[in-house]
Amino acid sequence: VFKEYYQLMFSKLYNDGIYRWEIRTSVDGVYDTEKEYTQQETLQILINELKKWKAVDSEREVFSIAIIVQGMRMDTVDGVVAALTNAYDLRDMFPEYIVGFDLVGHEDPGETLLHWAPTLIDTEEYIVMNSSRPKLPFFFHAGESNRLSVQENLIDAVFLNTSRIGHGFGIQEF
């Protein structure tokens, strides 16, 4: 089902004139009757399906995918550190496809970006300084609610140098 889904999705997007698809995912939870696949295996299956789909017609070569690895806004500090570290590791393995990192989850009950800023900054600095890897762009969801108490996530996303703000319909408040 996983493979067939992506084959169908590539075709539908391409036929609609969409040539780049960004997927925000944790890359978890893919399994069959034989085994549960690792994140690396899941990504490799996805990439193999993309290559297989493209091989049908040379005009499809213009189509590409980009993957934003996600952590959970309601996770523990260790969980967010692990998710960001994992995103860097996955980018090392799949540099053409892994383009960024996001914290997802409902904005109202979850922790703010300001809460996560020290964890994200410290983890990013540690990874970059100890491995000479370039920074992984942030693509944060912010401004997803009409509640003013979480609208500051928009400002914090900018201060965290986000490359893009997901949703952001609360931006009119600023």
Side-chain angles (χ1 to χ4, degrees), residues 112-148:
T112 64
L113 289 174
L114 181 61
H115 168 85
W116 288 116
T119 301
L120 294 167
I121 292 167
D122 290 349
T123 303
E124 181 182 56
E125 285 180 4
Y126 178 81
I127 290 169
V128 171
M129 287 176 52
N130 290 307
S131 64
S132 302
R133 296 189 251 187
K135 287 186 177 184
L136 187 63
F138 291 136
F139 295 91
F140 290 124
H141 276 75
E144 298 175 279
S145 169
N146 284 325
R147 291 182 53 204
L148 290 177

PDB file of all heavy atoms in Angstrom, residues 112-148:
ATOM      1  N   THR A 112       5.626  26.265  23.480  1.00  0.00           N
ATOM      2  CA  THR A 112       5.908  27.313  22.505  1.00  0.00           C
ATOM      3  C   THR A 112       7.294  27.124  21.899  1.00  0.00           C
ATOM      4  O   THR A 112       8.146  26.406  22.447  1.00  0.00           O
ATOM      5  CB  THR A 112       5.856  28.696  23.168  1.00  0.00           C
ATOM      6  OG1 THR A 112       6.906  28.760  24.150  1.00  0.00           O
ATOM      7  CG2 THR A 112       4.513  28.954  23.828  1.00  0.00           C
ATOM      8  N   LEU A 113       7.528  27.806  20.789  1.00  0.00           N
ATOM      9  CA  LEU A 113       8.866  27.781  20.197  1.00  0.00           C
ATOM     10  C   LEU A 113       9.879  28.434  21.133  1.00  0.00           C
ATOM     11  O   LEU A 113      11.036  28.014  21.184  1.00  0.00           O
ATOM     12  CB  LEU A 113       8.861  28.467  18.832  1.00  0.00           C
ATOM     13  CG  LEU A 113       8.142  27.699  17.732  1.00  0.00           C
ATOM     14  CD1 LEU A 113       8.073  28.525  16.457  1.00  0.00           C
ATOM     15  CD2 LEU A 113       8.817  26.362  17.468  1.00  0.00           C
ATOM     16  N   LEU A 114       9.450  29.437  21.884  1.00  0.00           N
ATOM     17  CA  LEU A 114      10.344  30.056  22.861  1.00  0.00           C
ATOM     18  C   LEU A 114      10.798  29.030  23.894  1.00  0.00           C
ATOM     19  O   LEU A 114      11.969  28.996  24.281  1.00  0.00           O
ATOM     20  CB  LEU A 114       9.656  31.240  23.547  1.00  0.00           C
ATOM     21  CG  LEU A 114      10.494  31.988  24.582  1.00  0.00           C
ATOM     22  CD1 LEU A 114      11.743  32.580  23.934  1.00  0.00           C
ATOM     23  CD2 LEU A 114       9.658  33.087  25.243  1.00  0.00           C
ATOM     24  N   HIS A 115       9.887  28.178  24.329  1.00  0.00           N
ATOM     25  CA  HIS A 115      10.238  27.098  25.255  1.00  0.00           C
ATOM     26  C   HIS A 115      11.302  26.192  24.633  1.00  0.00           C
ATOM     27  O   HIS A 115      12.242  25.771  25.315  1.00  0.00           O
ATOM     28  CB  HIS A 115       8.990  26.283  25.603  1.00  0.00           C
ATOM     29  CG  HIS A 115       9.295  25.004  26.309  1.00  0.00           C
ATOM     30  ND1 HIS A 115       9.468  24.929  27.668  1.00  0.00           N
ATOM     31  CD2 HIS A 115       9.472  23.739  25.832  1.00  0.00           C
ATOM     32  CE1 HIS A 115       9.751  23.682  28.008  1.00  0.00           C
ATOM     33  NE2 HIS A 115       9.740  22.940  26.914  1.00  0.00           N
ATOM     34  N   TRP A 116      11.157  25.876  23.349  1.00  0.00           N
ATOM     35  CA  TRP A 116      12.065  24.944  22.678  1.00  0.00           C
ATOM     36  C   TRP A 116      13.336  25.607  22.152  1.00  0.00           C
ATOM     37  O   TRP A 116      14.283  24.907  21.779  1.00  0.00           O
ATOM     38  CB  TRP A 116      11.349  24.223  21.533  1.00  0.00           C
ATOM     39  CG  TRP A 116      10.365  23.227  22.039  1.00  0.00           C
ATOM     40  CD1 TRP A 116       9.019  23.239  21.876  1.00  0.00           C
ATOM     41  CD2 TRP A 116      10.664  22.069  22.815  1.00  0.00           C
ATOM     42  NE1 TRP A 116       8.448  22.168  22.507  1.00  0.00           N
ATOM     43  CE2 TRP A 116       9.441  21.422  23.105  1.00  0.00           C
ATOM     44  CE3 TRP A 116      11.847  21.504  23.316  1.00  0.00           C
ATOM     45  CZ2 TRP A 116       9.362  20.262  23.844  1.00  0.00           C
ATOM     46  CZ3 TRP A 116      11.765  20.341  24.061  1.00  0.00           C
ATOM     47  CH2 TRP A 116      10.546  19.739  24.320  1.00  0.00           C
ATOM     48  N   ALA A 117      13.384  26.935  22.123  1.00  0.00           N
ATOM     49  CA  ALA A 117      14.531  27.634  21.539  1.00  0.00           C
ATOM     50  C   ALA A 117      15.879  27.200  22.122  1.00  0.00           C
ATOM     51  O   ALA A 117      16.795  26.870  21.359  1.00  0.00           O
ATOM     52  CB  ALA A 117      14.348  29.145  21.653  1.00  0.00           C
ATOM     53  N   PRO A 118      16.060  27.170  23.451  1.00  0.00           N
ATOM     54  CA  PRO A 118      17.374  26.753  23.974  1.00  0.00           C
ATOM     55  C   PRO A 118      17.750  25.331  23.544  1.00  0.00           C
ATOM     56  O   PRO A 118      18.913  25.072  23.194  1.00  0.00           O
ATOM     57  CB  PRO A 118      17.210  26.841  25.495  1.00  0.00           C
ATOM     58  CG  PRO A 118      16.069  27.772  25.711  1.00  0.00           C
ATOM     59  CD  PRO A 118      15.152  27.577  24.537  1.00  0.00           C
ATOM     60  N   THR A 119      16.792  24.425  23.565  1.00  0.00           N
ATOM     61  CA  THR A 119      17.061  23.038  23.165  1.00  0.00           C
ATOM     62  C   THR A 119      17.462  22.976  21.693  1.00  0.00           C
ATOM     63  O   THR A 119      18.443  22.316  21.334  1.00  0.00           O
ATOM     64  CB  THR A 119      15.808  22.163  23.404  1.00  0.00           C
ATOM     65  OG1 THR A 119      15.476  22.216  24.785  1.00  0.00           O
ATOM     66  CG2 THR A 119      16.054  20.732  22.973  1.00  0.00           C
ATOM     67  N   LEU A 120      16.711  23.660  20.852  1.00  0.00           N
ATOM     68  CA  LEU A 120      17.003  23.647  19.415  1.00  0.00           C
ATOM     69  C   LEU A 120      18.348  24.298  19.113  1.00  0.00           C
ATOM     70  O   LEU A 120      19.152  23.754  18.359  1.00  0.00           O
ATOM     71  CB  LEU A 120      15.881  24.355  18.643  1.00  0.00           C
ATOM     72  CG  LEU A 120      14.527  23.669  18.678  1.00  0.00           C
ATOM     73  CD1 LEU A 120      13.442  24.621  18.166  1.00  0.00           C
ATOM     74  CD2 LEU A 120      14.544  22.377  17.881  1.00  0.00           C
ATOM     75  N   ILE A 121      18.590  25.461  19.703  1.00  0.00           N
ATOM     76  CA  ILE A 121      19.841  26.182  19.445  1.00  0.00           C
ATOM     77  C   ILE A 121      21.036  25.405  19.961  1.00  0.00           C
ATOM     78  O   ILE A 121      22.041  25.231  19.257  1.00  0.00           O
ATOM     79  CB  ILE A 121      19.786  27.595  20.063  1.00  0.00           C
ATOM     80  CG1 ILE A 121      18.757  28.447  19.308  1.00  0.00           C
ATOM     81  CG2 ILE A 121      21.163  28.258  20.044  1.00  0.00           C
ATOM     82  CD1 ILE A 121      18.388  29.743  20.014  1.00  0.00           C
ATOM     83  N   ASP A 122      20.959  24.910  21.200  1.00  0.00           N
ATOM     84  CA  ASP A 122      22.077  24.163  21.779  1.00  0.00           C
ATOM     85  C   ASP A 122      22.359  22.885  20.996  1.00  0.00           C
ATOM     86  O   ASP A 122      23.523  22.548  20.738  1.00  0.00           O
ATOM     87  CB  ASP A 122      21.808  23.817  23.247  1.00  0.00           C
ATOM     88  CG  ASP A 122      21.836  25.034  24.162  1.00  0.00           C
ATOM     89  OD1 ASP A 122      22.268  26.117  23.714  1.00  0.00           O
ATOM     90  OD2 ASP A 122      21.397  24.903  25.322  1.00  0.00           O
ATOM     91  N   THR A 123      21.322  22.171  20.626  1.00  0.00           N
ATOM     92  CA  THR A 123      21.503  20.926  19.878  1.00  0.00           C
ATOM     93  C   THR A 123      22.102  21.215  18.514  1.00  0.00           C
ATOM     94  O   THR A 123      23.045  20.541  18.082  1.00  0.00           O
ATOM     95  CB  THR A 123      20.162  20.179  19.730  1.00  0.00           C
ATOM     96  OG1 THR A 123      19.626  19.942  21.033  1.00  0.00           O
ATOM     97  CG2 THR A 123      20.332  18.869  18.978  1.00  0.00           C
ATOM     98  N   GLU A 124      21.565  22.215  17.841  1.00  0.00           N
ATOM     99  CA  GLU A 124      22.071  22.588  16.516  1.00  0.00           C
ATOM    100  C   GLU A 124      23.539  23.002  16.596  1.00  0.00           C
ATOM    101  O   GLU A 124      24.366  22.550  15.789  1.00  0.00           O
ATOM    102  CB  GLU A 124      21.221  23.727  15.962  1.00  0.00           C
ATOM    103  CG  GLU A 124      21.629  24.195  14.593  1.00  0.00           C
ATOM    104  CD  GLU A 124      20.773  25.351  14.130  1.00  0.00           C
ATOM    105  OE1 GLU A 124      20.706  26.372  14.845  1.00  0.00           O
ATOM    106  OE2 GLU A 124      20.183  25.220  13.057  1.00  0.00           O
ATOM    107  N   GLU A 125      23.884  23.847  17.572  1.00  0.00           N
ATOM    108  CA  GLU A 125      25.274  24.285  17.717  1.00  0.00           C
ATOM    109  C   GLU A 125      26.199  23.108  18.014  1.00  0.00           C
ATOM    110  O   GLU A 125      27.293  23.010  17.463  1.00  0.00           O
ATOM    111  CB  GLU A 125      25.395  25.341  18.814  1.00  0.00           C
ATOM    112  CG  GLU A 125      24.877  26.694  18.379  1.00  0.00           C
ATOM    113  CD  GLU A 125      25.001  27.747  19.473  1.00  0.00           C
ATOM    114  OE1 GLU A 125      25.569  27.454  20.555  1.00  0.00           O
ATOM    115  OE2 GLU A 125      24.515  28.864  19.236  1.00  0.00           O
ATOM    116  N   TYR A 126      25.764  22.204  18.873  1.00  0.00           N
ATOM    117  CA  TYR A 126      26.571  21.025  19.204  1.00  0.00           C
ATOM    118  C   TYR A 126      26.820  20.174  17.954  1.00  0.00           C
ATOM    119  O   TYR A 126      27.943  19.764  17.690  1.00  0.00           O
ATOM    120  CB  TYR A 126      25.875  20.204  20.295  1.00  0.00           C
ATOM    121  CG  TYR A 126      26.633  18.948  20.647  1.00  0.00           C
ATOM    122  CD1 TYR A 126      27.716  19.001  21.524  1.00  0.00           C
ATOM    123  CD2 TYR A 126      26.284  17.722  20.093  1.00  0.00           C
ATOM    124  CE1 TYR A 126      28.429  17.851  21.843  1.00  0.00           C
ATOM    125  CE2 TYR A 126      26.986  16.577  20.398  1.00  0.00           C
ATOM    126  CZ  TYR A 126      28.058  16.639  21.269  1.00  0.00           C
ATOM    127  OH  TYR A 126      28.770  15.506  21.564  1.00  0.00           O
ATOM    128  N   ILE A 127      25.778  19.923  17.206  1.00  0.00           N
ATOM    129  CA  ILE A 127      25.899  19.092  16.003  1.00  0.00           C
ATOM    130  C   ILE A 127      26.818  19.754  14.987  1.00  0.00           C
ATOM    131  O   ILE A 127      27.735  19.119  14.450  1.00  0.00           O
ATOM    132  CB  ILE A 127      24.510  18.825  15.382  1.00  0.00           C
ATOM    133  CG1 ILE A 127      23.696  17.891  16.280  1.00  0.00           C
ATOM    134  CG2 ILE A 127      24.647  18.228  13.980  1.00  0.00           C
ATOM    135  CD1 ILE A 127      22.224  17.772  15.884  1.00  0.00           C
ATOM    136  N   VAL A 128      26.599  21.032  14.726  1.00  0.00           N
ATOM    137  CA  VAL A 128      27.373  21.739  13.704  1.00  0.00           C
ATOM    138  C   VAL A 128      28.834  21.868  14.120  1.00  0.00           C
ATOM    139  O   VAL A 128      29.749  21.631  13.322  1.00  0.00           O
ATOM    140  CB  VAL A 128      26.741  23.117  13.406  1.00  0.00           C
ATOM    141  CG1 VAL A 128      27.646  23.967  12.525  1.00  0.00           C
ATOM    142  CG2 VAL A 128      25.372  22.934  12.747  1.00  0.00           C
ATOM    143  N   MET A 129      29.083  22.207  15.383  1.00  0.00           N
ATOM    144  CA  MET A 129      30.461  22.400  15.856  1.00  0.00           C
ATOM    145  C   MET A 129      31.233  21.086  15.910  1.00  0.00           C
ATOM    146  O   MET A 129      32.437  21.069  15.654  1.00  0.00           O
ATOM    147  CB  MET A 129      30.462  23.069  17.227  1.00  0.00           C
ATOM    148  CG  MET A 129      30.092  24.535  17.168  1.00  0.00           C
ATOM    149  SD  MET A 129      29.983  25.329  18.789  1.00  0.00           S
ATOM    150  CE  MET A 129      31.529  24.906  19.536  1.00  0.00           C
ATOM    151  N   ASN A 130      30.562  19.991  16.237  1.00  0.00           N
ATOM    152  CA  ASN A 130      31.259  18.724  16.404  1.00  0.00           C
ATOM    153  C   ASN A 130      31.298  17.864  15.151  1.00  0.00           C
ATOM    154  O   ASN A 130      31.898  16.790  15.161  1.00  0.00           O
ATOM    155  CB  ASN A 130      30.637  17.929  17.556  1.00  0.00           C
ATOM    156  CG  ASN A 130      30.957  18.583  18.883  1.00  0.00           C
ATOM    157  OD1 ASN A 130      32.105  18.840  19.183  1.00  0.00           O
ATOM    158  ND2 ASN A 130      29.933  18.886  19.652  1.00  0.00           N
ATOM    159  N   SER A 131      30.687  18.326  14.080  1.00  0.00           N
ATOM    160  CA  SER A 131      30.694  17.498  12.879  1.00  0.00           C
ATOM    161  C   SER A 131      30.956  18.287  11.606  1.00  0.00           C
ATOM    162  O   SER A 131      31.035  17.711  10.534  1.00  0.00           O
ATOM    163  CB  SER A 131      29.350  16.785  12.738  1.00  0.00           C
ATOM    164  OG  SER A 131      28.323  17.745  12.548  1.00  0.00           O
ATOM    165  N   SER A 132      31.079  19.597  11.725  1.00  0.00           N
ATOM    166  CA  SER A 132      31.293  20.478  10.569  1.00  0.00           C
ATOM    167  C   SER A 132      30.186  20.337   9.526  1.00  0.00           C
ATOM    168  O   SER A 132      30.414  20.537   8.345  1.00  0.00           O
ATOM    169  CB  SER A 132      32.658  20.203   9.925  1.00  0.00           C
ATOM    170  OG  SER A 132      33.683  20.391  10.855  1.00  0.00           O
ATOM    171  N   ARG A 133      28.994  19.970   9.962  1.00  0.00           N
ATOM    172  CA  ARG A 133      27.855  19.885   9.039  1.00  0.00           C
ATOM    173  C   ARG A 133      27.200  21.252   8.929  1.00  0.00           C
ATOM    174  O   ARG A 133      27.137  21.991   9.903  1.00  0.00           O
ATOM    175  CB  ARG A 133      26.815  18.886   9.554  1.00  0.00           C
ATOM    176  CG  ARG A 133      27.316  17.473   9.614  1.00  0.00           C
ATOM    177  CD  ARG A 133      26.157  16.541   9.919  1.00  0.00           C
ATOM    178  NE  ARG A 133      26.282  16.020  11.258  1.00  0.00           N
ATOM    179  CZ  ARG A 133      25.511  15.083  11.780  1.00  0.00           C
ATOM    180  NH1 ARG A 133      24.532  14.557  11.087  1.00  0.00           N
ATOM    181  NH2 ARG A 133      25.701  14.658  12.998  1.00  0.00           N
ATOM    182  N   PRO A 134      26.678  21.584   7.773  1.00  0.00           N
ATOM    183  CA  PRO A 134      25.927  22.845   7.668  1.00  0.00           C
ATOM    184  C   PRO A 134      24.626  22.751   8.445  1.00  0.00           C
ATOM    185  O   PRO A 134      24.095  21.659   8.652  1.00  0.00           O
ATOM    186  CB  PRO A 134      25.667  22.982   6.169  1.00  0.00           C
ATOM    187  CG  PRO A 134      25.814  21.613   5.612  1.00  0.00           C
ATOM    188  CD  PRO A 134      26.761  20.875   6.506  1.00  0.00           C
ATOM    189  N   LYS A 135      24.135  23.908   8.866  1.00  0.00           N
ATOM    190  CA  LYS A 135      22.878  23.930   9.613  1.00  0.00           C
ATOM    191  C   LYS A 135      21.736  23.397   8.759  1.00  0.00           C
ATOM    192  O   LYS A 135      21.691  23.610   7.554  1.00  0.00           O
ATOM    193  CB  LYS A 135      22.550  25.351  10.069  1.00  0.00           C
ATOM    194  CG  LYS A 135      23.420  25.831  11.201  1.00  0.00           C
ATOM    195  CD  LYS A 135      22.962  27.187  11.700  1.00  0.00           C
ATOM    196  CE  LYS A 135      23.799  27.615  12.887  1.00  0.00           C
ATOM    197  NZ  LYS A 135      23.330  28.880  13.444  1.00  0.00           N
ATOM    198  N   LEU A 136      20.826  22.734   9.416  1.00  0.00           N
ATOM    199  CA  LEU A 136      19.621  22.221   8.783  1.00  0.00           C
ATOM    200  C   LEU A 136      18.543  23.302   8.941  1.00  0.00           C
ATOM    201  O   LEU A 136      18.261  23.717  10.057  1.00  0.00           O
ATOM    202  CB  LEU A 136      19.190  20.927   9.471  1.00  0.00           C
ATOM    203  CG  LEU A 136      18.062  20.132   8.872  1.00  0.00           C
ATOM    204  CD1 LEU A 136      18.423  19.636   7.473  1.00  0.00           C
ATOM    205  CD2 LEU A 136      17.732  18.946   9.758  1.00  0.00           C
ATOM    206  N   PRO A 137      17.954  23.767   7.850  1.00  0.00           N
ATOM    207  CA  PRO A 137      16.943  24.827   7.968  1.00  0.00           C
ATOM    208  C   PRO A 137      15.741  24.394   8.810  1.00  0.00           C
ATOM    209  O   PRO A 137      15.353  23.231   8.813  1.00  0.00           O
ATOM    210  CB  PRO A 137      16.511  25.070   6.523  1.00  0.00           C
ATOM    211  CG  PRO A 137      17.638  24.566   5.693  1.00  0.00           C
ATOM    212  CD  PRO A 137      18.229  23.413   6.466  1.00  0.00           C
ATOM    213  N   PHE A 138      15.168  25.372   9.505  1.00  0.00           N
ATOM    214  CA  PHE A 138      13.939  25.154  10.240  1.00  0.00           C
ATOM    215  C   PHE A 138      12.762  25.598   9.374  1.00  0.00           C
ATOM    216  O   PHE A 138      12.833  26.618   8.684  1.00  0.00           O
ATOM    217  CB  PHE A 138      13.918  25.965  11.536  1.00  0.00           C
ATOM    218  CG  PHE A 138      14.894  25.488  12.573  1.00  0.00           C
ATOM    219  CD1 PHE A 138      15.656  26.403  13.277  1.00  0.00           C
ATOM    220  CD2 PHE A 138      15.036  24.143  12.877  1.00  0.00           C
ATOM    221  CE1 PHE A 138      16.547  25.984  14.256  1.00  0.00           C
ATOM    222  CE2 PHE A 138      15.923  23.715  13.854  1.00  0.00           C
ATOM    223  CZ  PHE A 138      16.687  24.642  14.541  1.00  0.00           C
ATOM    224  N   PHE A 139      11.681  24.846   9.429  1.00  0.00           N
ATOM    225  CA  PHE A 139      10.421  25.173   8.764  1.00  0.00           C
ATOM    226  C   PHE A 139       9.327  25.032   9.824  1.00  0.00           C
ATOM    227  O   PHE A 139       8.703  23.983   9.917  1.00  0.00           O
ATOM    228  CB  PHE A 139      10.132  24.202   7.613  1.00  0.00           C
ATOM    229  CG  PHE A 139      11.096  24.268   6.479  1.00  0.00           C
ATOM    230  CD1 PHE A 139      12.227  23.459   6.444  1.00  0.00           C
ATOM    231  CD2 PHE A 139      10.862  25.127   5.417  1.00  0.00           C
ATOM    232  CE1 PHE A 139      13.101  23.508   5.382  1.00  0.00           C
ATOM    233  CE2 PHE A 139      11.739  25.180   4.340  1.00  0.00           C
ATOM    234  CZ  PHE A 139      12.859  24.376   4.326  1.00  0.00           C
ATOM    235  N   PHE A 140       9.128  26.054  10.634  1.00  0.00           N
ATOM    236  CA  PHE A 140       8.233  25.914  11.776  1.00  0.00           C
ATOM    237  C   PHE A 140       6.781  26.219  11.451  1.00  0.00           C
ATOM    238  O   PHE A 140       6.467  27.152  10.711  1.00  0.00           O
ATOM    239  CB  PHE A 140       8.669  26.822  12.924  1.00  0.00           C
ATOM    240  CG  PHE A 140       9.938  26.392  13.577  1.00  0.00           C
ATOM    241  CD1 PHE A 140      11.009  27.254  13.663  1.00  0.00           C
ATOM    242  CD2 PHE A 140      10.069  25.121  14.110  1.00  0.00           C
ATOM    243  CE1 PHE A 140      12.183  26.864  14.278  1.00  0.00           C
ATOM    244  CE2 PHE A 140      11.245  24.719  14.716  1.00  0.00           C
ATOM    245  CZ  PHE A 140      12.303  25.595  14.798  1.00  0.00           C
ATOM    246  N   HIS A 141       5.907  25.442  12.072  1.00  0.00           N
ATOM    247  CA  HIS A 141       4.486  25.764  12.110  1.00  0.00           C
ATOM    248  C   HIS A 141       4.325  26.814  13.213  1.00  0.00           C
ATOM    249  O   HIS A 141       4.853  26.647  14.307  1.00  0.00           O
ATOM    250  CB  HIS A 141       3.663  24.531  12.492  1.00  0.00           C
ATOM    251  CG  HIS A 141       3.359  23.651  11.344  1.00  0.00           C
ATOM    252  ND1 HIS A 141       4.280  22.823  10.769  1.00  0.00           N
ATOM    253  CD2 HIS A 141       2.212  23.496  10.649  1.00  0.00           C
ATOM    254  CE1 HIS A 141       3.712  22.168   9.783  1.00  0.00           C
ATOM    255  NE2 HIS A 141       2.449  22.554   9.686  1.00  0.00           N
ATOM    256  N   ALA A 142       3.615  27.862  12.918  1.00  0.00           N
ATOM    257  CA  ALA A 142       3.352  28.897  13.923  1.00  0.00           C
ATOM    258  C   ALA A 142       2.144  29.709  13.467  1.00  0.00           C
ATOM    259  O   ALA A 142       1.840  29.766  12.281  1.00  0.00           O
ATOM    260  CB  ALA A 142       4.564  29.810  14.094  1.00  0.00           C
ATOM    261  N   GLY A 143       1.480  30.336  14.420  1.00  0.00           N
ATOM    262  CA  GLY A 143       0.330  31.166  14.087  1.00  0.00           C
ATOM    263  C   GLY A 143      -0.846  30.364  13.565  1.00  0.00           C
ATOM    264  O   GLY A 143      -1.613  30.836  12.747  1.00  0.00           O
ATOM    265  N   GLU A 144      -0.992  29.146  14.083  1.00  0.00           N
ATOM    266  CA  GLU A 144      -2.065  28.261  13.613  1.00  0.00           C
ATOM    267  C   GLU A 144      -3.363  28.447  14.388  1.00  0.00           C
ATOM    268  O   GLU A 144      -4.332  27.769  14.111  1.00  0.00           O
ATOM    269  CB  GLU A 144      -1.638  26.800  13.767  1.00  0.00           C
ATOM    270  CG  GLU A 144      -0.429  26.440  12.960  1.00  0.00           C
ATOM    271  CD  GLU A 144       0.005  25.023  13.244  1.00  0.00           C
ATOM    272  OE1 GLU A 144       0.690  24.818  14.261  1.00  0.00           O
ATOM    273  OE2 GLU A 144      -0.344  24.140  12.463  1.00  0.00           O
ATOM    274  N   SER A 145      -3.349  29.316  15.353  1.00  0.00           N
ATOM    275  CA  SER A 145      -4.496  29.472  16.236  1.00  0.00           C
ATOM    276  C   SER A 145      -4.905  30.937  16.280  1.00  0.00           C
ATOM    277  O   SER A 145      -4.105  31.831  16.018  1.00  0.00           O
ATOM    278  CB  SER A 145      -4.111  29.000  17.639  1.00  0.00           C
ATOM    279  OG  SER A 145      -5.078  29.365  18.566  1.00  0.00           O
ATOM    280  N   ASN A 146      -6.136  31.186  16.656  1.00  0.00           N
ATOM    281  CA  ASN A 146      -6.591  32.562  16.850  1.00  0.00           C
ATOM    282  C   ASN A 146      -6.305  33.066  18.257  1.00  0.00           C
ATOM    283  O   ASN A 146      -6.587  34.211  18.561  1.00  0.00           O
ATOM    284  CB  ASN A 146      -8.096  32.668  16.567  1.00  0.00           C
ATOM    285  CG  ASN A 146      -8.367  32.648  15.089  1.00  0.00           C
ATOM    286  OD1 ASN A 146      -7.586  33.173  14.295  1.00  0.00           O
ATOM    287  ND2 ASN A 146      -9.477  32.044  14.708  1.00  0.00           N
ATOM    288  N   ARG A 147      -5.789  32.209  19.110  1.00  0.00           N
ATOM    289  CA  ARG A 147      -5.503  32.610  20.491  1.00  0.00           C
ATOM    290  C   ARG A 147      -4.247  33.465  20.528  1.00  0.00           C
ATOM    291  O   ARG A 147      -3.195  33.068  20.050  1.00  0.00           O
ATOM    292  CB  ARG A 147      -5.326  31.382  21.371  1.00  0.00           C
ATOM    293  CG  ARG A 147      -6.651  30.644  21.564  1.00  0.00           C
ATOM    294  CD  ARG A 147      -6.511  29.465  22.465  1.00  0.00           C
ATOM    295  NE  ARG A 147      -5.890  29.844  23.728  1.00  0.00           N
ATOM    296  CZ  ARG A 147      -5.230  28.977  24.488  1.00  0.00           C
ATOM    297  NH1 ARG A 147      -5.119  27.721  24.128  1.00  0.00           N
ATOM    298  NH2 ARG A 147      -4.701  29.362  25.615  1.00  0.00           N
ATOM    299  N   LEU A 148      -4.337  34.643  21.088  1.00  0.00           N
ATOM    300  CA  LEU A 148      -3.192  35.553  21.142  1.00  0.00           C
ATOM    301  C   LEU A 148      -2.044  34.974  21.948  1.00  0.00           C
ATOM    302  O   LEU A 148      -0.889  35.299  21.708  1.00  0.00           O
ATOM    303  CB  LEU A 148      -3.612  36.905  21.713  1.00  0.00           C
ATOM    304  CG  LEU A 148      -4.504  37.740  20.799  1.00  0.00           C
ATOM    305  CD1 LEU A 148      -4.928  39.025  21.504  1.00  0.00           C
ATOM    306  CD2 LEU A 148      -3.790  38.070  19.505  1.00  0.00           C
TER     307      LEU A 148
END
